[in-house]
Amino acid sequence: DYWVLDGLDLSGIDIVVCEYNPLYGSKIACSVPRDDNYDRTKAHWSYLHYGMSLRAAIFLMTNHGLVFIGTNRAGNNAFFVQEKYIELFNFKIPDLNELEIFVDWRVRESRDEVGILSYLPKKSIKEILFDLELIEITKKTKIRFSDTIC
């Protein structure tokens, strides 16, 4: 969650692994609005309105001197390391202008309106989350899920 991660003291931390919501796409740094009692199971019946976008995680971690180096195969956990360690990696660091491959949603965890796993395809997810509120992190403005669809 963006708000929890933003509140942590990351001084002296060399590696961070954080969850992101690939459904929010790769273009906009966004998160669910801050709510210290947030519960994704209550925020929306699908359980899919949660967390932050990958771009929001990158924005936040960059401000702590951490560099994005990739994600897990499921596309929901991002990996960051301190800049001083980048030369130790024998692979190309991802281009921040080409993050689409990291938001290829592979986790099928959607629920129907009574809480049963529904395994909805991405197209259907976009339709049910369409009007839900998010915060654009860099501008601190309210947006809708539909704004993340590019």
Side-chain angles (χ1 to χ4, degrees), residues 41-64:
T41 67
K42 293 180 175 83
H44 190 265
W45 52 263
S46 69
Y47 290 26
L48 297 176
H49 185 51
Y50 67 91
M52 64 181 148
S53 67
L54 176 58
R55 179 100 28 213
I58 292 170
F59 172 78
L60 183 57
M61 293 296 95
T62 299
N63 289 335
H64 287 281

Side-chain angles (χ1 to χ4, degrees), residues 18-26 30 32 38 40 47-55 57 75-77 102-103 105 109 125 129 134 145:
C18 64
E19 184 180 48
Y20 65 96
N21 188 334
L23 294 172
Y24 296 154
S26 64
C30 62
V32 295
Y38 193 83
R40 83 183 225 174
Y47 290 26
L48 297 176
H49 185 51
Y50 67 91
M52 64 181 148
S53 67
L54 176 58
R55 179 100 28 213
N76 64 343
N77 288 301
F102 300 108
V103 295
W105 187 59
E109 61 182 344
I125 298 296
L129 298 181
L134 294 164
F145 175 83

Side-chain angles (χ1 to χ4, degrees), residues 15-124:
I15 300 169
V16 172
V17 180
C18 64
E19 184 180 48
Y20 65 96
N21 188 334
L23 294 172
Y24 296 154
S26 64
K27 304 291 185 204
I28 298 175
C30 62
S31 174
V32 295
R34 182 175 179 148
D35 176 352
D36 292 346
N37 296 308
Y38 193 83
D39 180 343
R40 83 183 225 174
T41 67
K42 293 180 175 83
H44 190 265
W45 52 263
S46 69
Y47 290 26
L48 297 176
H49 185 51
Y50 67 91
M52 64 181 148
S53 67
L54 176 58
R55 179 100 28 213
I58 292 170
F59 172 78
L60 183 57
M61 293 296 95
T62 299
N63 289 335
H64 287 281
L66 292 148
V67 177
F68 173 64
I69 61 168
T71 69
N72 63 337
R73 283 183 178 218
N76 64 343
N77 288 301
F79 301 92
F80 299 87
V81 298
Q82 281 291 339
E83 290 179 68
K84 63 185 176 185
Y85 296 116
I86 291 303
E87 64 188 40
L88 299 175
F89 291 94
N90 192 23
F91 58 84
K92 185 180 174 205
I93 301 303
D95 182 342
L96 298 184
N97 294 312
E98 297 178 12
L99 296 175
E100 294 81 19
I101 63 169
F102 300 108
V103 295
D104 180 21
W105 187 59
R106 295 178 186 206
V107 179
R108 302 289 296 269
E109 61 182 344
S110 62
R111 307 280 173 154
D112 65 17
E113 293 182 53
V114 294
I116 298 171
L117 283 170
S118 60
Y119 307 108
L120 290 174
K122 195 171 187 176
K123 182 179 186 231
S124 296

